[in-house]
Structures are given as C-alpha cells and as structure tokens.
Amino acid sequence: MATPLHPDIDRVLISSAQIQERIVELAAQIDRDYADERPLLLVGVLKGAFIFLADLARALTIPHAVDFMAVSSYGMTATSGAVRIILDLREPIDNKHVLLVEDIVDSGNTLAYLREVLTSRRPASLRTCALSTKQRPDAMHVPIDYLGFTIPDVWVVGYGLDYADRHRTLPYIGALKPEVYR
Ligand code: IMP
Ligand code: MG
C-alpha cells in the first residue's frame, strides 16, 4: 500500500526508498575515498541535515566522528543574505579530514560561507556532501563533492527539510503545495 500523502504535500519528488538507495551509494563512495584519510569528521548542518547525517553516518563502515554546526540567514527570506553561526564545532579541526554534510543547496550561500569558515581553520582536507541541490541557473557555484539528487526549483519538505519548522519528519522529500507557503 502506498504511503498516504500529507495534505500539505503536492507531490513526492524523492521517495524514502530512493533516498536510502542513494545513501548506500554515497556511503560506499565516501568509504572508498577516505579509506586512507584519518581522522574523518562529519559536520552536519542543523537543523535540516540531522536525518540525512544520521542515515549517512550509519551507512559508512570507516571510522568517523560526528559534530554539528547551526547557521541562520540574515536575509529577507530563508535562503538569501548573509549567514551567521549559531552553533559552532566543539573542537579544532586542523588535523582532521572534514566532510560537511548539508540537506539542500539552494542559492549556494550557506555552503559557500561554511566552506570559507572551515577552510580558514586549516583542516587536513575539506569536502562537501549534500543530499540535494536545486536547478537554479543563478545559484553560486559551490563544489559539491558528494551529491544525492538534483531537484526542481520548488520548496521541498521532509527528510529533515522544513517549512516554518514543520514537516521535517516526513519519510520522503515532497514539494509543498504553493497555497501552504503563499
Ligand atoms: P542556500 O540558499 O543554499 O544558502 O540554502 C540555505 C538553506 O535554506 C539550506 O541549507 C536549507 O536549510 C534551506 N532551504 C533551501 N531550500 C529549501 C527547501 O526547498 N526546503 C527546505 N529548506 C530549504
Ligand atoms: Mg540547511
């Protein structure tokens, strides 16, 4: 039986099964790439990445530690303007291979900012992993080393992603009905 769709959801873009399948592939790739790189630190960007990070980390077989950062945007909308650190890492990263784990890259602002901040702390290496990115021709060009999915430029929720802090725990990534956020 199909999972009943939440009434605020227009359509499912990525099913739970598709997400899990992709995570297995990404984890295998990360396992290979970091086989000789120790120590590995996964840095999840709160809140959105908490579910993706939990699943990705458990799919890895190589040793790793986990930490979190939280950021907030200054701009008029949730995805524009300058970025501010709300929660920082607990320890220095100068001897660590850091993999930044994001839920979604939209304008690219957040990821670009975090890359800059972490690079200035001189980690042994820094790469980025994002579950998804939007098809936006105007987005900043930020390298994403491990990318789950490319999605259309619509507001999505579920699997950690929210609208006004709602819908994070839906098992799939779905497009919100426009009347919900208009
Ligand atoms: P940026 O525009 O790439 O800086 O994206 C900033 C942040 O906005 C992302 O890390 C997400 O947390 C959030 N975001 C962007 N697009 C969406 C979306 O469609 N749904 C939920 N959160 C989003
Ligand atoms: Mg985020």
Side-chain angles (χ1 to χ4, degrees), residues 20-33:
Q20 294 307 323
E21 223 170 89
R22 190 73 186 109
I23 285 174
V24 169
E25 292 171 357
L26 291 173
Q29 207 181 333
I30 294 165
D31 272 345
R32 280 196 303 274
D33 292 354

Side-chain angles (χ1 to χ4, degrees), residues 45-49 71 101-105 110 161 168:
V45 185
L46 296 174
K47 301 175 190 175
V71 294
V101 180
E102 252 286 32
D103 51 1
I104 189 164
V105 177
T110 306
L161 293 157
R168 288 192 198 277

Side-chain angles (χ1 to χ4, degrees), residues 27-42 60-65 93-99 123-127 145-146:
Q29 207 181 333
I30 294 165
D31 272 345
R32 280 196 303 274
D33 292 354
Y34 286 89
D36 302 315
E37 317 270 34
R38 303 281 161 77
L40 170 61
L41 176 67
L42 305 179
L60 293 176
T61 65
I62 53 170
H64 60 269
I93 53 168
D94 49 284
N95 59 337
K96 292 172 187 159
H97 294 277
V98 175
L99 180 59
S125 72
L126 175 65
R127 286 185 192 153
D145 300 288
Y146 306 94

Side-chain angles (χ1 to χ4, degrees), residues 48 73 78-80 102-111 134 136 151 154-157 161-163:
S73 308
T79 62
S80 73
E102 252 286 32
D103 51 1
I104 189 164
V105 177
D106 185 1
S107 67
N109 229 9
T110 306
L111 193 61
K134 289 187 191 172
R136 268 183 66 170
I151 62 169
V154 294
W155 197 263
V156 292
V157 294
L161 293 157
D162 73 305
Y163 173 68

Side-chain angles (χ1 to χ4, degrees), residues 5-181:
L5 213 51
H6 188 283
D8 287 355
I9 303 301
D10 185 37
R11 65 191 199 279
V12 174
L13 293 181
I14 313 170
S15 71
S16 167
Q18 284 174 308
I19 294 170
Q20 294 307 323
E21 223 170 89
R22 190 73 186 109
I23 285 174
V24 169
E25 292 171 357
L26 291 173
Q29 207 181 333
I30 294 165
D31 272 345
R32 280 196 303 274
D33 292 354
Y34 286 89
D36 302 315
E37 317 270 34
R38 303 281 161 77
L40 170 61
L41 176 67
L42 305 179
V43 174
V45 185
L46 296 174
K47 301 175 190 175
F50 81 114
I51 293 180
F52 176 45
L53 178 64
D55 284 347
L56 181 72
R58 287 179 296 173
L60 293 176
T61 65
I62 53 170
H64 60 269
V66 170
D67 205 348
F68 294 96
M69 292 182 82
V71 294
S72 113
S73 308
Y74 277 120
M76 297 294 290
T77 70
T79 62
S80 73
V83 180
R84 178 167 58 112
I85 294 178
I86 305 281
L87 173 77
D88 207 338
L89 300 175
R90 294 187 179 220
E91 286 168 27
I93 53 168
D94 49 284
N95 59 337
K96 292 172 187 159
H97 294 277
V98 175
L99 180 59
L100 193 54
V101 180
E102 252 286 32
D103 51 1
I104 189 164
V105 177
D106 185 1
S107 67
N109 229 9
T110 306
L111 193 61
Y113 173 77
L114 286 173
R115 272 179 55 89
E116 204 177 287
V117 166
L118 294 181
T119 299
S120 74
R121 299 179 188 178
R122 309 217 169 280
S125 72
L126 175 65
R127 286 185 192 153
T128 56
C129 174
L131 179 61
S132 60
T133 188
K134 289 187 191 172
Q135 255 158 354
R136 268 183 66 170
D138 60 324
M140 291 177 73
H141 285 284
V142 198
I144 305 173
D145 300 288
Y146 306 94
L147 174 63
F149 302 92
T150 301
I151 62 169
D153 187 11
V154 294
W155 197 263
V156 292
V157 294
Y159 200 73
L161 293 157
D162 73 305
Y163 173 68
D165 247 338
R166 295 184 59 217
H167 303 311
R168 288 192 198 277
T169 50
L170 291 173
Y172 50 79
I173 291 181
L176 209 56
K177 283 179 183 163
E179 60 263 34
V180 176
Y181 59 88

